[in-house]
Amino acid sequence: MTDLPPPSKKKLGLVIDLDTCVGCHACAVSCKEWNAGGFAAPLTDEQPYGKDPAGVWFNRVHSYEVAPTQGCASSPTPQPAMTLHFPRSCLHCETPACVTVCPTGASYKRAEDGIVLVDEDKCIGCKLCSWACPYGAREYSEVEGVMKKCTLCIDRIYNENLAEAERQPACVQACPTRARHFGDLGDPESKVSRLVAERGGVDLLPQLGYQPVNKYLPPRPRRTGEAATAAPQDETLDTAALPPMLRWLDRVLSR
Amino acid sequence: MHPAFSVIAFTTLSGAGYGLLLWAGGLILLPALQGRAPANGATVLLWGVLLVLGLVLTTAGLLSSMLHLGKPGRAWRAFSQWRTSWLSREGVFAVATALVVVAMLALLGVGIAGALPTGLWIAMPALAAIMVLLSLCTIASTAMIYASLKPIPAWRHPLVLPGYFVFAILTGWLVLMALVNWSALSDETLGVILLVTFALAIVAGVLKLVYWHRIDRQPLGATRADAVGLPGREVDVFERPNTQANYINKEMGHVLARKHARPLRFIALVLFAAVPMVASWLAWANPELAGPVFTLGALLALAGTLVERWLFFAQARHLVTLYY
Ligand code: SF4
Ligand code: SF4
Ligand code: SF4
């Protein structure tokens, strides 16, 4: 049934640090690599080597330019311009409409840990769930005719054939700057929950009421002051202020 | 949103079909409510024709909607989740309606053959009432599929649900008129038809004009800054995640319609509102032309409804476009 289960105690999810993410796409690539052979496999492409390659990805990294601000809702202090790298994948929402709109029961939210999955043997490819997701987390496979989405690497995190340390989502493991963290966001004492509390982690588009489990950590406030003022434009050199040796060199070279 | 032709054709055709069933139900119920005797042979034949046509239109619509499924062979699964899914409810109501229509047709067949005891004619109006109710539920479920999607503000608008009803009733009425006007109708009847057609066309036209006016002024309700969790900042796209278009861009990021909205809206309005009014006036002024004029009018109005539906899809903006 696509009825949502009662809220689970355990809420597995990701915490993504927008301060340290450098937009290298390693998470997106490793996600594609792992999931091409796992639970949601195959992760199909159309004309992968052709002119207009397209395909299913569970995780996509956007880059934005953020204009300077004199202070606003999300940054009380003046902030300089910056680049923002923003990985976007399924947020494993608490009340996801992608599940309740599904006519077949293919989409479901697991009662035990809150992971949102698609049963590809039941999906009829009506695409309604992708319309119901505001975050663009579901992608349809033209090749297979069914819907695909991030599985939170369910075939890694519970995989007893992997070493304990590797029971982490592929994207989390691949991130070179440790911008992605995986854990139980339902437990206020977990590492991820403490990180969210410490850094003021936010929900994306909370007004829609999907109650995302994944949290995003906004970039730390940048230093303002001298760093924000422009560098001196013209180069002037006061030779009288130089030590004798350099003054001599300057005289020789200026000849 | 990407306007898939099969979905547009489905909502247009099945809308007209359920509208026609509503009118057929009315025609069957009216004499019963007035306490008149079961109708004569010609009327019974008309009932049969209307029910068959309604069944054909709604079934054609449903089959066409199956065309856009990735796995049409598993479509039966879509009846299972009626507790949460409007799409599932639509399927359940559609099949229930079809079953009632088939039962009514069977009853009519037996009745025409003369094998039906007079007492059983009572069942006809009862079934008609159930059919009307189920048709209304089906139309409402279709509308709610769209009207319940929070990421698409243009579909959440309160006029979407009444819009689906009005279009079903208008197009159903025009199909009915295209049929009945081939037999000579009295001037009085043509006058009533003129009034009803004007009323329906004007309601549909005004409703759509107000809807278009509102959605043009209704902002998306969120900014790109909200979407990335930095409300209040000014955020511009620097680099997209993909060089080629992906599923999300193709399905949700349709921009063509917004560019050509004005002429298309005008065309739609002329076809679904002005044409029926002109047709009913022509028929009233020249009763011998009523048949061909209404048939042409109904076809053009259906084409106008197709354009209207195309705009309904193509103009709706999905919140995910904020990320791109
Ligand atoms: S992010 Fe989208 S796909 Fe994932 S649970 Fe939320 S609504 Fe569903
Ligand atoms: S595409 Fe598949 S998973 Fe999505 S709503 Fe339709 S049947 Fe359910
Ligand atoms: S959790 Fe797994 S499936 Fe989800 S984005 Fe990360 S690598 Fe991909």
Side-chain angles (χ1 to χ4, degrees):
Chain A
M1 273 289 179
T2 46
D3 281 345
L4 293 176
S8 55
K9 252 191 79 172
K10 196 166 162 194
K11 300 182 206 307
L12 295 184
L14 300 175
V15 172
I16 296 174
D17 189 344
L18 297 180
D19 194 55
T20 47
C21 174
V22 290
C24 73
H25 293 249
C27 57
V29 174
S30 70
C31 169
K32 176 89 172 166
E33 188 274 331
W34 174 260
N35 287 292
F39 179 90
L43 220 51
T44 50
D45 291 313
E46 295 151 58
Q47 341 181 20
Y49 307 104
K51 255 204 186 126
D52 199 12
V56 181
W57 293 65
F58 293 161
N59 182 16
R60 293 187 184 261
V61 184
H62 297 250
S63 294
Y64 301 102
E65 46 183 310
V66 184
T69 175
Q70 288 309 311
C72 65
S74 55
S75 349
T77 56
Q79 288 291 303
M82 63 176 189
T83 321
L84 179 81
H85 302 292
F86 182 87
R88 183 175 54 80
S89 56
C90 174
L91 309 173
H92 296 281
C93 307
E94 266 298 284
T95 45
C98 64
V99 169
T100 49
V101 298
C102 175
T104 61
S107 281
Y108 61 104
K109 184 171 174 73
R110 278 160 56 103
E112 59 269 44
D113 52 18
I115 299 181
V116 175
L117 292 174
V118 177
D119 179 345
E120 290 176 22
D121 293 331
K122 286 191 187 150
C123 175
I124 55 174
C126 69
K127 304 181 183 169
L128 192 55
C129 54
S130 67
W131 296 2
C133 171
Y135 309 105
R138 288 173 171 246
E139 298 197 5
Y140 176 73
S141 166
E142 282 298 340
V143 180
E144 285 184 274
V146 294
M147 195 53 71
K148 303 262 175 178
K149 71 176 291 300
C150 157
T151 64
L152 205 62
C153 283
I154 191 151
D155 45 1
R156 287 188 70 91
I157 57 179
Y158 293 117
N159 192 337
E160 305 204 331
N161 296 318
L162 295 178
E164 180 94 42
E166 282 181 30
R167 291 180 206 160
Q168 294 261 326
C171 56
V172 172
Q173 285 226 312
C175 180
T177 62
R178 300 234 171 259
R180 301 175 77 97
H181 307 265
F182 163 75
D184 180 6
L185 286 141
D187 169 10
E189 289 310 311
S190 70
K191 257 166 116 181
V192 276
S193 296
R194 286 210 301 271
L195 188 61
V196 170
E198 220 170 86
R199 292 276 307 279
V202 294
D203 284 353
L204 302 182
L205 299 171
Q207 68 268 39
L208 295 177
Y210 283 56
Q211 295 175 272
V213 168
N214 284 14
K215 301 284 184 260
Y216 282 80
L217 308 179
R220 294 182 173 91
R222 299 298 191 250
R223 266 193 298 270
T224 41
E226 314 112 72
T229 60
Q233 284 302 305
D234 33 310
E235 298 181 356
T236 45
L237 182 65
D238 181 9
T239 45
L242 292 174
M245 181 69 181
L246 287 181
R247 205 162 39 203
W248 173 78
L249 247 177
D250 177 60
R251 250 196 348 259
V252 174
L253 292 173
S254 309
R255 253 185 223 144
Chain B
M1 298 296 294
H2 168 70
F5 183 74
S6 58
V7 180
I8 292 168
F10 151 62
T11 58
T12 306
L13 285 181
S14 72
Y18 289 112
L20 186 63
L21 290 180
L22 288 180
W23 287 107
L27 283 183
I28 298 171
L29 275 171
L30 202 61
L33 289 178
Q34 290 170 342
R36 279 196 265 134
N40 60 31
T43 327
V44 171
L45 201 64
L46 175 66
W47 290 357
V49 172
L50 295 183
L51 291 178
V52 169
L53 194 62
L55 194 62
V56 168
L57 281 174
T58 50
T59 313
L62 282 180
L63 288 180
S64 131
S65 78
M66 275 179 56
L67 283 183
H68 94 289
L69 295 182
K71 297 271 181 203
R74 300 176 184 167
W76 57 271
R77 288 191 185 275
F79 298 117
S80 62
Q81 305 301 310
W82 45 269
R83 279 168 39 186
T84 64
S85 165
W86 284 107
L87 181 52
S88 192
R89 287 172 199 162
E90 180 197 42
V92 172
F93 283 129
V95 170
T97 315
L99 289 178
V100 175
V101 174
V102 169
M104 290 169 79
L105 283 171
L107 211 59
L108 276 185
V110 181
I112 290 173
L116 196 68
T118 341
L120 253 185
W121 275 110
I122 292 296
M124 251 339 243
L127 284 175
I130 298 174
M131 178 189 73
V132 165
L133 250 164
L134 287 173
S135 302
L136 289 173
C137 289
T138 318
I139 300 170
S141 305
T142 308
M144 284 311 291
I145 294 173
Y146 306 106
S148 65
L149 292 175
K150 282 189 192 164
I152 309 167
W155 290 356
R156 292 277 288 174
H157 195 275
L159 280 179
V160 167
L161 180 63
Y164 270 79
F165 278 118
V166 167
F167 271 87
I169 293 172
L170 170 70
T171 49
W173 168 258
L174 291 172
V175 174
L176 176 69
M177 288 305 109
L179 286 174
V180 296
N181 273 288
W182 286 96
S183 64
L185 296 174
S186 69
D187 283 354
E188 199 191 324
T189 315
L190 283 173
V192 174
I193 289 176
L194 178 79
L195 282 182
V196 174
T197 311
F198 264 66
L200 289 175
I202 289 172
V203 169
V206 170
L207 186 137
K208 269 286 131 171
L209 282 174
V210 173
Y211 173 74
W212 288 331
H213 181 84
R214 292 277 161 79
I215 61 166
D216 286 349
R217 274 149 200 81
Q218 169 181 311
L220 216 37
T223 61
R224 178 173 294 134
D226 298 331
V228 298
L230 296 178
R233 302 286 309 250
E234 199 187 317
V235 182
D236 283 312
V237 172
F238 172 58
E239 206 174 32
R240 289 174 143 220
N242 33 276
T243 53
Q244 255 67 15
N246 64 18
Y247 166 72
I248 299 287
N249 304 140
K250 289 182 209 153
E251 185 76 6
M252 324 285 174
H254 196 83
V255 288
L256 184 71
R258 285 192 283 281
K259 197 169 150 214
H260 299 297
R262 283 181 73 90
L264 284 172
R265 286 176 179 180
F266 182 73
I267 292 170
L269 205 58
V270 166
L271 288 177
F272 75 71
V275 163
M277 291 200 273
V278 173
S280 63
W281 181 78
L282 277 178
W284 178 69
N286 318 282
E288 69 282 1
L289 284 183
V293 156
F294 260 111
T295 307
L296 189 67
L299 288 176
L300 289 177
L302 279 176
T305 310
L306 271 184
V307 178
E308 180 270 327
R309 276 304 135 79
W310 190 84
L311 283 169
F312 176 75
F313 276 86
Q315 283 196 297
R317 248 192 101 187
H318 194 289
L319 277 178
V320 74
T321 53
L322 288 174
Y323 289 106
Y324 284 89

